[in-house]
Amino acid sequence: MLGCSRLFACTGEKDELVPREIGIRFVEAVKESEWNGDIEFIEIEGEGHCFQAANPEAEKAKDLIQRK
């Protein structure tokens, strides 16, 4: 059971390690579980795997990190 009420899953459009389909399947599995929170899937255009960790000062990384 997840210990939160909100969750988002994120992948970069060019992510070869965690492609969009995997992110979508993860979100669907969470929705089908007994967890009753809100979940959102986000795909960041033009970015690859862990782009926000590789360059946290980039505008797209800042937007993602500050997302509420």
Side-chain angles (χ1 to χ4, degrees):
M1 188 67 79
L2 294 170
C4 59
S5 61
R6 293 176 58 205
L7 177 66
F8 75 87
C10 173
T11 190
E13 175 187 33
K14 297 179 180 180
D15 192 333
E16 294 180 3
L17 296 176
V18 184
R20 183 175 210 278
E21 296 77 27
I22 299 291
I24 291 171
R25 285 198 329 228
F26 172 77
V27 169
E28 289 172 353
V30 171
K31 286 180 178 179
E32 292 172 4
S33 75
E34 294 180 11
W35 184 67
N36 293 321
D38 295 321
I39 187 167
E40 179 181 3
F41 177 74
I42 304 162
E43 182 179 53
I44 307 299
E45 185 178 332
E47 297 296 341
H49 188 74
C50 291
F51 71 94
Q52 71 279 21
N55 187 2
E57 295 303 315
E59 197 62 35
K60 289 181 184 178
K62 286 180 182 181
D63 290 346
L64 180 65
I65 292 166
Q66 294 175 1
R67 189 174 181 93
K68 295 179 182 183

